[in-house]
Amino acid sequence: MRSSVKILLFSLGFMVLAVSCKKTVKTETEVVDTYVVDHYTKKEVDIEMRDGVTLHTTIYSPKDTSKKYPIIMQRTPYSSRPYGEGNMRTKIGPNEHLMKEGNIIVYQDVRGRWMSEGHYENMRAYIPNKTSNDQVDESSDTYDTIEWLVNNVENNNGNVGIWGISYPGYYATYATVDAHPALKAASPQACIGDFFFDDFHHNGAYLLSYFRATSLFGTPRPNGDQPVDTAWYVLPELPTQDQYQFFLDNGPLKNLDHFFEYETADTPTMRPEGVTDDFFWNELKEHPNYDEHWQSKGLIQHLKEVKSSVATMIVGGWFDAEDLYGPLETYKNIEKYNEGNYNTMVFGPWDHGGWARDKERNVVGNYYFGDSISLFFQEKIETKFFNHFLKGDGSMDTGLPEAYVFDTGKKEWKMYDTWPPQNAVKQTMFLSKDQELTLDQKGTEGIQFISDVKKPVPYSEDVKTVFTPRKYMTDDQRFAARRSDVLVFETEVMDEDFTLAGDIMAHLKVATTGTAADWIVKVIDVHPADAETNEEMQDHLKMSNYHLMVRSEVLRGRFRNSFSDPEPFVPNQKTDVDIKLQDVFHTIKKGHKLQIQVQSTWFPLIDMNPQTYVDNIFKADESDFKTQTHTVFTDSNIEFTVLK
């Protein structure tokens, strides 16, 4: 009886508190930013492309018409909303500085998305040497859009820039190929380069953690593919917050097909067995290898065609879980094939798009990198780049370096004339017995571990369901280091700074009792015991002995010799597996240790490998999944790019 009274009193007290909180919230006045409304006019137009299809375009023009302005545009599959000329964004342009100093800002729905006509193709293939107006791609659509803008938008100065983050970054890169003469500056940021290596795949391994994003790209528009101003896709809802257990319980990938069957009981769709209503999910399933389908959609191989009249500034985050391959390979390939072009790179301590945010403290996951890093980029780098080429003399002398890069270990910006820096050299370390990472090879012994398909290594210790993963890129890796199916190799405490500045190659010598396996390599910065904990750290963690993941990568073992022609392992046969890890710029500081972790599952970041060879893992059966014993030999080594 007394307990019941206590519970009742507590409940009443909680209700009173909740009501009082509600009242407090109601009295707060929301501050609305009216800068864009006060200083810009908005116009929406449908611009006709060479094949007759119209693309919906939103134009924000400064109200001050006493001078001419450059045009800075973004092409996007994510909508140029809000629609309706009386509805305006509160912020426009790449950053607040470029908005407030005056530019004509343009947003466009790409072909087949939202209010634009035509049919959408995910990563539309580039068509070189077009012979008719019916041959269109994102390059021609950008060209036709710029042609219309410079001839029809009042008070423009004839110079055009383009920028975008993620998929819009891909369209910004695309604009530089067969570019319009008026396009003077392009900043592809976190730009997708190839869907077999960005976002949904890493080196051929399917990123199961992006599963919920599939419908965003693969749901057909309704009403015969007509323009639409509201979202027509629905993200799959998982019936749990524990995505690790959900995907483990669901088993093979083919058991997930039902999430992409969109018809209702009243409007059934007749489809072949195994084919869903989501065209992107179907593409993923039917093209498990790097075949002509994926090769044709990749943009990296076409960067030989970047016009010298377009200055490029590639921007990325060292801890971008979604698109790290894309910006690095975009910069490197423009640099390689277009001698004399103005081409620079900016990489900072950011996750996906973090440089565009206005937060004072720059944090990725649990790890704090410093204050005002993104704000510095926006004002001193991005704004300077666009102003020089769109309002200035457009010479090669911008005052910006070739590589503006942030050392994520020392937590400071550096400027270099080349990337990697000229004084960078290769340094090899061996995966030795007794958990040692050594400068010299110590034998060729095999170190074994059991890879249990019922207990895969998690990629994070967090229990949650996410749209796409981000935080894990700086997660503490102690939870993995203490598992028996994760091999650990570590240096002694560093007696001087050791700076990694460039790509990393893992040269593994391995064997497996099965015929298939994935291989994951992680580079870890082990912090000292007296490291201070920052305020953003999760409550259950401390910076003391924090295992910061600096870089990580997976290779689906069947692709060890070719991404196009997979092959099984020969059971128990020693085999070379080389894994390229993307560039880093990170100093393992004096007093820290450098650690390598090697494992074969990373769940559910990537899907489960059956560990027995099948032609298509998307169609594997439950019976194909087998626990196997893997071996890593001590003549395996990691080749670092090191600053001397």
Side-chain angles (χ1 to χ4, degrees):
M1 184 71 174
R2 287 178 180 175
S3 297
S4 300
V5 170
K6 284 182 178 179
I7 291 170
L8 178 61
L9 290 172
F10 176 79
S11 300
L12 288 171
F14 182 80
M15 289 171 66
V16 169
L17 178 62
V19 170
S20 66
C21 286
K22 272 188 175 179
K23 287 180 180 177
T24 302
V25 171
K26 283 184 177 179
T27 59
E28 291 179 358
T29 303
E30 185 178 354
V31 178
V32 178
D33 188 342
T34 63
Y35 187 89
V36 177
V37 172
D38 295 340
H39 294 84
Y40 283 85
T41 60
K42 177 190 171 187
K43 184 178 182 180
E44 295 183 38
V45 297
D46 294 318
I47 301 176
E48 185 174 342
M49 301 294 102
R50 63 190 64 182
D51 64 343
V53 168
T54 62
L55 304 187
H56 193 76
T57 309
T58 301
I59 304 166
Y60 291 88
S61 298
K63 288 183 177 180
D64 180 1
T65 59
S66 64
K67 53 187 175 181
K68 295 184 182 295
Y69 303 93
I71 297 169
I72 306 179
M73 65 184 293
Q74 180 184 106
R75 305 186 67 244
T76 177
Y78 300 132
S79 176
S80 59
R81 291 181 294 185
Y83 299 112
E85 294 194 7
N87 301 317
M88 303 178 74
R89 297 187 179 205
T90 55
K91 291 185 178 180
I92 57 175
N95 63 55
E96 185 178 54
H97 306 284
L98 290 166
M99 174 182 74
K100 290 188 173 180
E101 67 182 32
N103 287 284
I104 299 167
I105 307 297
V106 174
Y107 296 92
Q108 183 178 74
D109 294 337
V110 297
R111 181 180 292 256
R113 296 290 284 188
W114 295 88
M115 290 296 289
S116 287
E117 294 179 343
H119 178 67
Y120 174 67
E121 290 186 21
N122 207 10
M123 301 283 287
R124 188 183 301 274
Y126 167 65
I127 304 173
N129 305 315
K130 301 173 184 65
T131 57
S132 75
N133 286 339
D134 292 330
Q135 292 185 316
V136 294
D137 55 22
E138 304 303 340
S139 175
S140 65
D141 281 354
T142 309
Y143 190 104
D144 294 350
T145 298
I146 294 175
E147 178 71 12
W148 189 93
L149 291 172
V150 295
N151 286 295
N152 291 277
V153 175
E154 295 181 355
N155 298 308
N156 83 82
N157 70 358
N159 293 334
V160 178
I162 190 167
W163 97 102
I165 298 171
S166 194
Y167 219 141
Y170 161 81
Y171 293 113
T173 306
Y174 222 133
T176 68
V177 179
D178 296 337
H180 191 285
L183 184 64
K184 303 300 183 184
S187 184
Q189 304 179 1
C191 44
I192 302 168
D194 192 312
F195 260 168
F196 206 72
F197 303 97
D198 283 310
D199 288 293
F200 292 89
H201 298 94
H202 272 211
N203 289 329
Y206 169 60
L207 264 73
L208 184 58
S209 52
Y210 286 74
F211 170 78
R212 294 185 65 227
T214 306
S215 59
L216 177 62
F217 303 106
T219 307
R221 280 195 303 187
N223 303 318
D225 208 6
Q226 292 300 303
V228 59
D229 63 0
T230 54
W232 64 96
Y233 49 80
V234 178
L235 304 182
E237 286 296 331
L238 305 188
T240 177
Q241 285 297 304
D242 188 347
Q243 63 180 8
Y244 179 100
Q245 195 64 46
F246 170 80
F247 286 119
L248 194 63
D249 291 344
N250 269 267
L253 290 174
K254 66 180 184 179
N255 293 343
L256 301 174
D257 281 358
H258 65 93
F259 282 97
F260 304 110
E261 295 169 356
Y262 300 138
E263 82 283 4
T264 66
D266 297 328
T267 58
T269 300
M270 297 297 291
R271 71 173 78 81
E273 182 68 26
V275 177
T276 71
D277 297 300
D278 191 291
F279 59 81
F280 186 41
W281 180 247
N282 293 336
E283 286 179 343
L284 290 167
K285 288 177 51 178
E286 296 304 321
H287 301 277
N289 307 324
Y290 194 52
D291 57 14
E292 174 60 26
H293 174 82
W294 296 116
Q295 292 174 27
S296 69
K297 292 174 177 289
L299 190 55
I300 298 298
Q301 59 266 40
H302 298 299
L303 296 181
K304 298 177 183 179
E305 311 301 328
V306 172
K307 296 294 185 184
S308 60
S309 56
V310 185
T312 49
M313 183 178 74
I314 317 302
V315 181
W318 289 129
F319 299 102
D320 188 339
E322 298 174 48
D323 299 302
L324 184 59
Y325 168 90
L328 284 168
E329 290 301 312
T330 297
Y331 166 76
K332 290 178 181 180
N333 280 272
I334 293 177
E335 194 70 13
K336 180 179 179 180
Y337 293 111
N338 302 275
E339 186 177 354
N341 280 31
Y342 183 93
N343 178 49
T344 60
M345 60 176 278
V346 182
F347 274 76
W350 301 303
D351 59 7
H352 193 61
W355 51 91
R357 303 184 192 118
D358 57 5
K359 291 184 178 179
E360 182 73 21
R361 287 177 65 85
N362 282 193
V363 179
V364 178
N366 284 307
Y367 204 86
Y368 166 71
F369 289 100
D371 289 345
S372 303
I373 300 169
S374 300
L375 301 177
F376 171 81
F377 161 75
Q378 293 166 30
E379 180 181 4
K380 302 299 184 182
I381 303 176
E382 185 176 46
T383 298
K384 189 172 185 177
F385 168 76
F386 278 114
N387 281 346
H388 180 82
F389 289 102
L390 302 182
K391 295 178 179 178
D393 62 17
S395 67
M396 298 291 280
D397 184 13
T398 62
L400 295 171
E402 172 79 12
Y404 222 137
V405 287
F406 192 91
D407 184 328
T408 54
K410 287 186 174 179
K411 301 182 181 180
E412 62 186 24
W413 286 105
K414 292 289 186 180
M415 295 182 283
Y416 295 105
D417 295 332
T418 62
W419 183 261
Q422 289 182 345
N423 55 335
V425 298
K426 298 298 182 181
Q427 172 86 59
T428 299
M429 293 188 176
F430 289 87
L431 308 185
S432 298
K433 63 180 182 179
D434 299 325
Q435 299 190 353
E436 291 185 337
L437 184 62
T438 61
L439 292 174
D440 299 315
Q441 180 182 330
K442 296 184 177 181
T444 57
E445 299 177 35
I447 305 172
Q448 293 187 334
F449 65 96
I450 296 172
S451 180
D452 189 340
V453 293
K454 296 296 184 183
K455 294 182 179 180
V457 180
Y459 77 92
S460 172
E461 61 180 343
D462 293 344
V463 177
K464 62 182 179 181
T465 296
V466 297
F467 173 55
T468 55
R470 292 186 179 179
K471 169 184 169 293
Y472 84 95
M473 292 288 282
T474 61
D475 266 354
D476 184 1
Q477 298 300 306
R478 272 176 285 200
F479 77 94
R482 292 163 182 173
R483 287 180 57 116
S484 62
D485 51 359
V486 177
L487 301 185
V488 174
F489 307 90
E490 192 174 80
T491 65
E492 297 291 332
V493 174
M494 293 287 180
D495 55 14
E496 59 182 20
D497 288 351
F498 186 73
T499 300
L500 308 177
D503 64 6
I504 300 168
M505 284 294 299
H507 301 289
L508 301 185
K509 314 286 186 179
V510 301
T512 175
T513 55
T515 51
D518 293 335
W519 300 96
I520 295 101
V521 173
K522 297 185 290 189
V523 179
I524 313 293
D525 179 351
V526 180
H527 287 49
D530 60 355
E532 294 186 7
T533 301
N534 52 278
E535 63 188 55
E536 292 84 3
M537 185 73 67
Q538 287 173 283
D539 290 341
H540 70 285
L541 293 174
K542 294 291 183 287
M543 191 59 72
S544 176
N545 196 39
Y546 193 91
H547 285 34
L548 171 68
M549 189 166 75
V550 174
R551 184 61 69 239
S552 55
E553 194 55 275
V554 58
L555 177 72
R556 181 135 286 172
R558 63 178 54 213
F559 298 122
R560 63 193 180 278
N561 294 319
S562 169
F563 289 110
S564 302
D565 299 307
E567 57 188 288
F569 286 93
V570 176
N572 301 310
Q573 179 174 298
K574 189 175 181 180
T575 306
D576 290 342
V577 173
D578 295 332
I579 308 172
K580 179 184 177 183
L581 285 74
Q582 303 301 335
D583 294 32
V584 301
F585 186 36
H586 184 91
T587 296
I588 310 295
K589 296 172 67 176
K590 179 181 177 180
H592 293 223
K593 291 186 286 186
L594 172 61
Q595 182 188 98
I596 298 294
Q597 293 183 8
V598 180
Q599 59 200 61
S600 64
T601 52
W602 211 14
F603 193 76
L605 182 68
I606 61 171
D607 64 312
M608 284 292 295
N609 192 317
Q611 303 191 139
T612 57
Y613 188 86
V614 295
D615 288 335
N616 187 343
I617 293 178
F618 282 90
K619 299 181 180 181
D621 296 319
E622 186 78 44
S623 59
D624 294 320
F625 291 77
K626 303 290 186 184
T627 293
Q628 305 289 356
T629 298
H630 301 325
T631 303
V632 175
F633 294 92
T634 57
D635 49 345
S636 300
N637 66 75
I638 311 295
E639 184 183 82
F640 298 102
T641 306
V642 178
L643 203 59
K644 291 294 186 181

